[in-house]
C-alpha cells in the first residue's frame, strides 16, 4: 500500500510537471515567438523532448520521498487528551476533519483550489503512537503544524 501511494504521488507529480511544460510551450507558440515545429522549438528537436521527459520523470520519482514526511511532535498528553486543541489548530491552517477514530485523525484542506494546487495529496494524518503522537503529510505543511503544536501543547 505504501509503494502504491508512492507511485500514485510520483505519477501525479509527473503529470503536473508535464502540464506546466505544455502550458509554457503553448504560450510560446500562441504568442508568436516560435512556430509549432519541434525542431525550431528545441535545439535538438525530438531528442531534446525525450531528454526533458526523462528529467521530469526523474524529478517526479524523487519528489514524493523528499516532500512527504512523518514527524513526531513533543507535546504533553496524547491524541485523545489534545483532540479539541488539535482540531482547532488544524482549522486555523484551513483543514477540516475527514475522519476521527480513537487513535487516528485525518484532515483535508477545506479550500478546493488549495487541494488542487497540492494535487489532492493534502491529507494530514495525526496518529497516536507508543511514544506520543505522529503527524504525516506534505512536509511543508506538517513542519508548520508540528511547530505550532509544540508551541501550544509542548513539554
Amino acid at each position: 500500500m505504501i509503494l502504491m501511494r508512492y507511485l500514485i504521488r510520483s505519477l501525479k507529480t509527473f503529470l503536473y510537471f508535464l502540464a506546466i511544460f505544455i502550458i509554457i510551450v503553448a504560450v510560446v507558440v500562441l504568442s508568436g515567438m516560435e512556430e509549432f515545429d519541434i525542431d525550431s522549438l528545441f535545439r535538438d528537436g525530438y531528442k531534446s523532448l525525450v531528454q526533458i521527459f526523462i528529467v521530469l520523470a526523474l524529478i517526479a520519482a524523487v519528489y514524493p520521498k523528499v516532500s512527504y514526511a512523518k514527524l513526531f511532535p513533543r507535546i504533553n498528553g496524547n491524541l485523545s487528551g489534545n483532540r479539541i486543541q488539535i482540531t482547532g489548530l488544524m482549522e486555523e491552517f484551513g483543514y477540516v476533519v475527514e475522519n476521527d477514530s480513537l487513535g487516528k485523525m485525518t484532515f483535508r484542506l477545506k479550500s478546493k483550489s488549495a487541494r488542487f494546487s497540492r494535487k489532492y495529496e493534502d491529507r494530514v494524518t495525526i496518529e497516536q503512537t507508543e511514544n506520543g503522537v505522529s503527524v504525516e503529510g506534505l512536509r511543508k505543511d506538517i513542519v508548520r503544524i508540528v511547530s505550532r503544536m509544540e508551541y501550544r501543547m509542548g513539554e
Side-chain angles (χ1 to χ4, degrees), residues 90-97 107-123 141:
M90 293 302 286
E91 286 173 356
E92 289 176 18
F93 284 106
Y95 285 87
V96 293
V97 176
F107 297 88
R108 284 282 174 123
L109 282 169
K110 189 175 188 176
S111 166
K112 300 279 187 211
S113 60
R115 291 190 71 201
F116 177 76
S117 72
R118 289 176 171 88
K119 302 177 294 285
Y120 292 92
E121 291 290 341
D122 60 324
R123 180 178 288 126
D141 291 336

Side-chain angles (χ1 to χ4, degrees), residues 70-112:
K70 187 176 205 175
L71 300 178
F72 300 90
R74 294 178 301 239
I75 61 173
N76 291 323
N78 56 18
L79 182 61
S80 59
N82 291 316
R83 191 170 301 277
I84 294 170
Q85 286 180 292
I86 290 171
T87 303
L89 182 128
M90 293 302 286
E91 286 173 356
E92 289 176 18
F93 284 106
Y95 285 87
V96 293
V97 176
E98 178 187 41
N99 190 1
D100 188 356
S101 60
L102 185 60
K104 183 178 182 179
M105 296 177 78
T106 57
F107 297 88
R108 284 282 174 123
L109 282 169
K110 189 175 188 176
S111 166
K112 300 279 187 211

Side-chain angles (χ1 to χ4, degrees), residues 3-153:
L3 179 62
M4 184 59 78
R5 188 174 351 151
Y6 188 91
L7 291 174
I8 289 170
R9 285 177 175 168
S10 184
L11 180 63
K12 283 182 180 181
T13 302
F14 178 75
L15 293 175
Y16 188 74
F17 288 154
L18 190 61
I20 291 171
F21 174 74
I22 290 170
I23 289 169
I24 291 170
V25 170
V27 166
V28 168
V29 170
L30 293 175
S31 67
M33 295 169 60
E34 285 289 333
E35 59 184 63
F36 186 69
D37 178 33
I38 300 298
D39 291 321
S40 67
L41 278 171
F42 305 104
R43 184 182 333 161
D44 292 331
Y46 285 98
K47 183 179 177 185
S48 293
L49 206 55
V50 169
Q51 291 170 346
I52 290 169
F53 289 151
I54 289 171
V55 168
L56 292 178
L58 290 174
I59 292 170
V62 175
Y63 184 78
K65 183 69 174 168
V66 174
S67 62
Y68 296 92
K70 187 176 205 175
L71 300 178
F72 300 90
R74 294 178 301 239
I75 61 173
N76 291 323
N78 56 18
L79 182 61
S80 59
N82 291 316
R83 191 170 301 277
I84 294 170
Q85 286 180 292
I86 290 171
T87 303
L89 182 128
M90 293 302 286
E91 286 173 356
E92 289 176 18
F93 284 106
Y95 285 87
V96 293
V97 176
E98 178 187 41
N99 190 1
D100 188 356
S101 60
L102 185 60
K104 183 178 182 179
M105 296 177 78
T106 57
F107 297 88
R108 284 282 174 123
L109 282 169
K110 189 175 188 176
S111 166
K112 300 279 187 211
S113 60
R115 291 190 71 201
F116 177 76
S117 72
R118 289 176 171 88
K119 302 177 294 285
Y120 292 92
E121 291 290 341
D122 60 324
R123 180 178 288 126
V124 173
T125 304
I126 302 174
E127 213 168 356
Q128 181 67 47
T129 63
E130 299 157 357
N131 300 331
V133 174
S134 71
V135 181
E136 183 178 4
L138 193 61
R139 185 180 303 270
K140 71 177 190 168
D141 291 336
I142 67 169
V143 165
R144 292 181 299 144
I145 291 166
V146 166
S147 175
R148 184 85 49 93
M149 265 185 189
E150 290 179 340
Y151 177 73
R152 289 195 183 159
M153 298 173 263

